[in-house]
Amino acid sequence: MALIDLAIIPVTLIAAFFDLKIRRIPNWLIGVGAFLGIVINGLAGGSQLFQSIAGFVVAIVVLLLPFALGWMGAGDVKLFGVIGALLGLRWLPRVFFYSALVAGLIAGGSLIGGRSGRVRFKQLWLDVKLTLLSMGQVIPAPVHERTHGGSVPWGVAFAVGTIIAYYFDRTGEWAGF
């Protein structure tokens, strides 16, 4: 087991746990992951160090637009940067490919299960009752500010996509690149 494996597995699994549990990826985990990625790759030589830093920067830059449009959270963007720091620039397309597939499966499962629509309707109904019973004295914040609106936990998708790309499709044979 390589030294980088000791960082990839815990960082991705802890990020997935937090993303599922509280829908946030803590900055301390991002900091630790980025530090480990740069240090471990730096120990492997200048070329690996450059790949690590480039992977971190490019991963964040690529996801700035989806973040700005509200399609993913800042923690998700930073986690992808950490994955870039850990694996290097050349792994990013394959990791993103598998992550997008996983995100699609999560979204499809949520739609098929009907969970997101039921949660929103139930919350909306409670809000209407609260407003009516208080005769307009209590007006809850909009539902989308209090819930995650059925959004995809991209931290989970990036964690699973990373593990698939790095451990199961190292050559890119399945992905085609």
Side-chain angles (χ1 to χ4, degrees):
M1 180 178 269
L3 192 56
I4 199 75
D5 294 326
L6 297 175
I8 291 171
I9 293 171
V11 168
T12 56
L13 293 180
I14 293 170
F17 170 79
F18 277 109
D19 200 21
L20 282 174
K21 190 76 172 165
I22 62 173
R23 294 305 303 265
R24 300 227 184 284
I25 300 170
N27 283 333
W28 63 263
L29 181 62
I30 300 299
V32 167
F35 176 78
L36 288 173
I38 291 170
V39 167
I40 292 169
N41 284 303
L43 293 173
S47 173
Q48 284 296 111
L49 177 62
F50 174 78
Q51 286 292 315
S52 179
I53 294 170
F56 181 78
V57 171
V58 168
I60 289 175
V61 168
V62 164
L63 294 184
L64 279 179
L65 182 62
F67 168 71
L69 294 172
W71 297 346
M72 63 179 49
D76 302 323
V77 174
K78 293 182 282 187
L79 177 62
F80 196 53
V82 167
I83 292 166
L86 287 166
L87 298 179
L89 182 61
R90 70 182 182 92
W91 283 92
L92 291 179
R94 192 173 319 143
V95 167
F96 190 80
F97 172 77
Y98 285 117
S99 299
L101 289 177
V102 171
L105 289 173
I106 292 170
S110 181
L111 287 174
I112 289 169
R115 199 184 97 216
S116 63
R118 263 197 319 261
V119 170
R120 282 185 139 176
F121 179 77
K122 181 180 177 183
Q123 188 63 53
L124 181 63
W125 178 245
L126 290 173
D127 290 349
V128 168
K129 287 190 334 187
L130 177 63
T131 303
L132 291 175
L133 290 174
S134 71
M135 296 181 163
Q137 296 297 317
V138 177
I139 299 176
V143 174
H144 73 275
E145 290 180 6
R146 291 176 285 134
T147 66
H148 299 290
S151 65
V152 172
W154 273 96
V156 174
F158 285 140
V160 174
T162 300
I163 290 172
I164 292 170
Y166 191 71
Y167 292 104
F168 295 103
D169 191 19
R170 290 185 70 90
T171 62
E173 186 176 325
W174 298 348
F177 53 90

